[in-house]
């Protein structure tokens, strides 16, 4: 079984290296590491199209091949699945991220986007995060992620689905269990710090914090608040299926009159 490991904190990040050592211990697993050559946090699902990607193979331990890529996390997944690997992998694991990826973080997160790219290409994926930024011990999160990876390798996931995993940054004995959750709502209080550089030019630095909100216990935010590991299944289909019937009726009630020429088109009911 073939597994690709990536992240958005960079190929030398402690979270990735700790998870790498645990994935290497799984039986019957071949591991490839394809990760950004530097931190790419909050890069979202951007891909590089206006310049070439630089790829450097790093010296490994003989068991695992590693490549550092000049692009984004999504670039790394796409490059691994479509160029670097001769055969299709069975799983992509992204992480372990330094800091949480909860609620709408998934839209900005490079960690989650690397997993999304995998799901888009038809390969099951995990995104794994540790919910703190300082004094981190990735060992427990890596053990849990490796165990989850092994289970997914054996059982699979529905096509177009990934698992977003957030592990509380606690001692293992303080973790209350595991919860299957939905995405919560994480409202950021954004602000732009206006500054002036030494040449008198104005620039802005985005700052933000995420105040605590009392999200329900069945959300990923609620689970972390209750010291639970959160596993959220995310699917790629963003279609609002419940609204489709109403929209069809709306379209049936509207007559579109298209006029060819300089006036373009107009809609009348």
């Amino acid at each position: 079984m073939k597994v690709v490991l990536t992240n958005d904190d960079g190929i030398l990040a402690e979270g990735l290296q700790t998870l790498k050592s645990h994935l290497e211990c799984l039986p019957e697993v071949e591991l490839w590491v394809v990760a950004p050559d530097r931190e790419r946090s909050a890069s979202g699902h951007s891909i590089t199209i206006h310049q070439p990607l630089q790829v450097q193979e790093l010296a490994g331990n003989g068991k695992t091949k590693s490549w550092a890529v000049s692009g984004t996390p999504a670039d790394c997944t796409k490059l691994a699945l479509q160029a670097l690997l001769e055969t299709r992998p069975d799983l992509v694991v992204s992480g372990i991220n330094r800091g949480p990826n909860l609620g709408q973080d998934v839209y900005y997160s490079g960690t989650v986007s690397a997993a999304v790219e995998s799901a888009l290409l038809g390969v099951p994926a995990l995104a794994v995060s540790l919910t703190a930024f300082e004094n981190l011990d990735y060992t427990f999160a890596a053990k849990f992620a490796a165990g989850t990876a092994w289970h997914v390798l054996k059982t699979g996931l529905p096509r177009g689905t990934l698992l977003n995993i957030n592990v509380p940054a606690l001692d293992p004995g303080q973790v209350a269990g595991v919860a299957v959750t939905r995405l919560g709502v994480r409202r950021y209080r954004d602000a732009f710090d206006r500054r002036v550089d030494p040449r008198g030019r104005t620039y802005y630095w985005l700052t933000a914090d995420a105040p605590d909100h009392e999200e329900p216990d069945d959300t990923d935010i609620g689970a972390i608040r209750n010291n639970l590991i959160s596993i959220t299944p995310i699917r790629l289909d963003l279609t609002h299926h419940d609204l489709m019937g109403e929209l069809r009726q709306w379209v049936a009630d509207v007559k579109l009159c298209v006029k060819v020429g300089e006036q373009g088109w107009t809609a009348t009911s």
Side-chain angles (χ1 to χ4, degrees), residues 167-222:
V167 180
L170 302 170
D171 292 333
Q174 297 176 300
V175 176
V178 182
V180 176
T181 59
R182 61 185 175 89
L183 291 175
V185 177
R186 203 170 190 222
R187 298 179 180 89
Y188 280 89
R189 185 163 50 221
D190 292 330
F192 286 92
D193 187 4
R194 184 179 182 275
R195 304 180 184 182
V196 179
D197 70 16
R199 296 187 178 184
R201 297 171 298 193
T202 300
Y203 67 98
Y204 294 85
W205 198 286
L206 176 62
T207 61
D209 60 11
D212 291 334
H213 293 281
E214 289 300 320
E215 284 292 287
D217 289 344
D218 66 338
T219 66
D220 52 359
I221 297 170

Side-chain angles (χ1 to χ4, degrees), residues 88-156:
R88 192 176 185 84
D90 300 289
L91 179 67
V92 170
V93 181
S94 182
I96 299 169
N97 187 66
R98 176 176 170 267
N101 277 306
L102 302 166
Q104 58 262 52
D105 290 347
V106 300
Y107 293 100
Y108 304 106
S109 166
T111 299
V112 177
S113 294
V116 169
E117 182 63 30
S118 178
L120 285 171
L121 296 173
V123 176
L126 309 178
V128 187
S129 302
L130 189 60
T131 61
F133 292 97
E134 297 178 351
N135 303 318
L136 300 181
D137 183 348
Y138 292 94
T139 305
F140 175 70
K143 289 180 179 179
F144 183 83
T148 305
W150 179 249
H151 184 74
V152 172
L153 285 167
K154 293 294 187 180
T155 62

